[in-house]
Amino acid sequence: MPTPTLALLYPGDRAMRERGDPSESRFAALFDAFAVAGLRAVPAVYHDDFADEVEAQLGGVAVVLVWCNPIEGGRRRDRLDAMLRRLAGQGVVVSAHPDAILKLGTKDVLFDTRDLPFGSDVHRVDSLAQLQAELPGRLRRGARVFKQHRGQSGAGVWRVEAGDASAPQLLRVRHAQRGSEEERLDFAALAHRLAPYFDAANGGHMIDQAWQPRLVDGMVRAYLVEDRVAGFGVQAVNALFPAAPGQPAPPPGPRLYHGPELAAFQGLRRLLETGWIEMLRARVELPRDRLPLLWDCDFLFGEPAADGTECFVLCEINASSVAPFPPSAMVPLVAAAASRVPEG
């Protein structure tokens, strides 16, 4: 068999690695698309238990595309990131590079870009003492959303609102993890819940973002291949949806995928491609050739402009494990990966 030019890295167990069957992975269609383009792509099923074996495999490829959450199966991806940095140092194109993820794919990006057109009222909180000192004043202006430095699936994201007249000392608190219910907590109880996020191992701080009332209108996810919009995902995101006390939030609606020509979001596409991505890249000091080959920006709806123009507020950026993604992203992703393969 000819030497593979690309590898798709995603988590799995020993049995999955030994089978090495692209057709059984969730990326089967992408493997097929690479084959149609004349590029041999192979699975690189990853687990810390056989990381050395995966690293030896990847030493012979030109490009590795990575899908692995910040926490996978209860494990952080520290060992994987160290391996990917070594491979990049040897000339392998790694997407997304761990350093690019740190610049784009943590909640710090909301603080770094707070004054840009897609930014919002965001603060960095470095200690529980700072939280206690600053939270009351901010809550007088409205609810806040606290986000841990790095995570996924709603873990470490908390909506906090001032208590009502019947119990002003009790804050209304809801965790964004699925199935969580609103609770009434005093500050000491809230601090106990949030304390782990201030441990150095978990980033040592939290990001405090103003609640966006139009979350009830859903979220739009712009999928990007490098610096071009390759599709959209539209979803009713209900993890923090206001609900009656003692009741869970309603389940999220299905994510509907669309191509980049979706009429409703051509304004957002123009903003991203003609300015916002460059502003973002410059602010976090990320060279263009380090942009992930596939990533996405999640936007909530802000208050419309005076002329009725829709406004968008950045909620988060995903770069660690962008899947699933719109079918429309397949062709540009293959082309972008192919462009990184040396000729000959």
Side-chain angles (χ1 to χ4, degrees), residues 21-337:
D21 184 359
S23 66
E24 75 171 17
S25 88
R26 56 180 172 161
F27 304 108
L30 185 55
F31 280 110
D32 290 342
F34 278 120
V36 170
L39 297 168
R40 183 174 175 232
V42 295
V45 176
Y46 178 86
H47 193 282
D48 282 354
D49 290 348
F50 41 82
D52 292 344
E53 187 178 320
V54 180
E55 184 168 0
Q57 174 193 8
L58 296 178
V61 304
V63 179
V64 55
L65 304 177
V66 182
W67 284 268
C68 189
N69 287 317
I71 300 174
E72 193 73 57
R75 300 189 186 200
R76 291 158 50 99
R77 49 177 284 171
D78 298 12
R79 185 170 182 182
L80 171 63
D81 286 346
M83 181 191 85
L84 294 173
R85 287 188 175 97
R86 288 193 295 272
L87 289 166
Q90 298 164 15
V92 178
V93 175
V94 174
S95 182
H97 190 287
D99 294 344
I101 294 173
L102 290 178
K103 290 177 179 291
L104 295 173
T106 75
K107 301 305 186 291
D108 286 355
V109 73
L110 301 177
F111 180 74
D112 294 338
T113 62
R114 63 196 183 280
D115 61 329
L116 296 182
F118 47 85
S120 60
D121 175 13
V122 177
H123 301 266
R124 174 175 163 138
V125 183
D126 290 297
S127 68
L128 289 171
Q130 181 188 349
L131 177 65
Q132 184 172 22
E134 297 176 355
L135 181 59
R138 291 186 195 140
L139 288 180
R140 284 194 286 271
R141 301 195 297 269
R144 312 295 301 184
V145 178
F146 288 87
K147 302 180 178 184
Q148 70 167 320
H149 171 249
R150 190 176 185 185
Q152 78 270 356
S153 303
V157 177
W158 298 78
R159 183 183 189 273
V160 180
E161 187 174 8
D164 54 34
S166 64
Q169 78 281 8
L170 296 181
L171 304 169
R172 298 174 60 182
V173 178
R174 184 189 292 275
H175 194 194
Q177 278 196 314
R178 185 172 297 182
S180 298
E181 298 181 359
E182 184 176 292
E183 302 176 79
R184 302 295 180 98
L185 305 176
D186 61 18
F187 181 81
L190 174 66
H192 179 73
R193 297 288 181 87
L194 300 187
Y197 307 120
F198 291 94
D199 291 343
N202 295 323
H205 64 279
M206 296 192 80
I207 296 300
D208 169 10
Q209 183 177 29
W211 166 256
Q212 301 300 316
R214 291 188 63 197
L215 176 133
V216 297
D217 295 332
M219 180 186 74
V220 56
R221 177 169 287 177
Y223 290 87
L224 299 141
V225 171
E226 297 180 305
D227 59 1
R228 301 285 98 182
V229 174
F232 292 102
V234 182
Q235 184 177 25
V237 181
N238 295 333
L240 294 177
F241 195 96
Q247 296 296 318
R255 186 178 305 155
L256 305 177
Y257 293 106
H258 305 270
E261 305 297 336
L262 181 64
F265 298 115
Q266 288 310 292
L268 175 59
R269 180 185 182 185
R270 267 191 313 276
L271 289 168
L272 285 164
E273 294 185 343
T274 63
W276 283 10
I277 294 173
E278 279 301 298
M279 291 179 190
L280 169 64
R281 196 179 61 73
R283 178 59 57 86
V284 301
E285 299 181 340
L286 184 68
R288 187 190 178 283
D289 63 1
R290 281 294 181 94
L291 281 173
L293 296 184
L294 178 66
W295 54 302
D296 69 65
C297 296
D298 294 357
F299 292 97
L300 300 174
F301 296 97
E303 292 303 315
D307 63 358
T309 302
E310 193 67 89
C311 292
F312 299 92
V313 174
L314 184 64
C315 177
E316 67 177 2
I317 293 175
N318 298 301
S320 299
S321 185
V322 182
F325 49 84
S328 59
M330 194 83 68
V331 169
L333 175 57
V334 169

